[in-house]
Structure formats: C-alpha cells, structure tokens
Amino acid sequence: MKSTNKWIIACIFTIGIIATIQIQERNDQTSQLRTLFTEGKDIQMVREFVLAQFPTSSQPEIIPVTATPERDPMIPTMASYESMQPYEEGVLVSYNTSIEVVAREDGIILFTGHTRHTGKTMTVLYDSGDTVTYGFVENFSNLPYTAVAANDLIAEVKPGSMFVKVERDGELLEPTAIKDWMNDVLQ
C-alpha cells in the first residue's frame, strides 16, 4: 500500500472516530470510544490491531542512517541507587553519579515534558503492559510516540534523585515491588 493511501485511510479513520464521539456525546452521554482511546493499555491493543491489518509479506529495505552509540560500561545503571523512598504514587531514587536510563524492553514513549511534581518527566508503555514514569530526568533521548527497543538510551539523570512510578495491570506497584522491579530487570 502506498504511503499516500495509508495517510488517506488514517485521516478517514480519525475523522470517523471523532465524528462518532461527537454524535455519542451530543445528548450528554459518555462515549465508549473516548474511554477506549484514553487508557494506555487500550492504546497498545488498538496499535496491535491496526498493525495486524496490514500485510507483512513485503518487508521494506531498512537503511540505517545513524549508528546506535555504544553504552559506556563505566556508567552505572538504575539498579545502582544509593537510597529509595516513597514519593507521590512512586518512589524517589537517589544517585551519587550520573546514570543512563535505558528501555528495559520494546515499547513506545507516551509522554515527555515537564510536570509540577516530577520536573522533566517521561512515560513509557512497554510491550509487557507495564507503564513506567521516570521523573526528574536531565535529558530525554526521544520524543513522544517514538518506539524504543530494549536497551535503547531513553534519558539521562545527573547526580541527585529520580522519580520512578510503575503501573502494572492498571495498579501501581508498591515501593518494595518497584525495588524488586529495578533489581530484576535493569542490572
């Protein structure tokens, strides 16, 4: 399918969804479509459904335009923190040195920006369904709605504190579970 046809289909699909939501909400009813497209788990389900609709028999030739930078083995990972304490709906993790935050598996970045309680913040939806929010980061390596692969650099943290919140199956993990999550998957 040509790129132009894909864009036309995407625009028609988007306009159809918006029109359906407007019609459903015209009589002060709650639109089921609006709730479908506002939850992270549902976005992943729709993404997988849409990708399954396109034929995969022809693989486009992939031409790398940049090389993935090698991670410096001397820079510690998130699992090498000094202390951890509860904060808001997650934890504050303290570091004495700069660290690189890497994606623990394939996923998509849902949000990058500045929030009142966690400063520069990034939220990643991983393919396993975990939604992880990293706050008080120094630099982002990607923009929202960018796909990331396992071990891709997604953010950098200077010495100090970083906020981490993990949501699994619609429920927030407790601080002790976040500690286990960091130790299990990020070493």
Side-chain angles (χ1 to χ4, degrees), residues 37-48:
F37 288 104
T38 56
E39 296 182 13
K41 197 181 300 183
D42 294 333
I43 291 173
Q44 182 181 8
M45 180 185 69
V46 170
R47 175 179 163 250
E48 291 171 1

Side-chain angles (χ1 to χ4, degrees), residues 47-114:
R47 175 179 163 250
E48 291 171 1
F49 173 76
V50 169
L51 290 176
Q53 302 307 310
F54 293 107
T56 58
S57 60
S58 63
Q59 293 291 333
E61 181 180 353
I62 298 175
I63 303 171
V65 292
T66 61
T68 304
E70 291 292 321
R71 288 190 41 230
D72 186 352
M74 298 305 291
I75 297 177
T77 64
M78 283 179 54
S80 61
Y81 59 89
E82 293 296 316
S83 66
M84 179 184 291
Q85 62 186 10
Y87 178 77
E88 297 289 319
E89 297 177 326
V91 295
L92 273 180
V93 185
S94 298
Y95 296 96
N96 286 337
T97 60
S98 297
I99 65 161
E100 293 179 341
V101 180
V102 296
R104 69 182 198 113
E105 60 182 281
D106 295 346
I108 187 167
I109 296 174
L110 297 178
F111 173 78
T112 58
H114 192 277

Side-chain angles (χ1 to χ4, degrees), residues 18-37:
I18 292 170
T20 304
I21 290 172
Q22 293 299 322
I23 290 169
Q24 289 177 347
E25 291 181 345
R26 182 173 291 171
N27 298 328
D28 293 329
Q29 296 175 337
T30 302
S31 172
Q32 294 174 345
L33 282 176
R34 182 176 300 278
T35 58
L36 175 71
F37 288 104

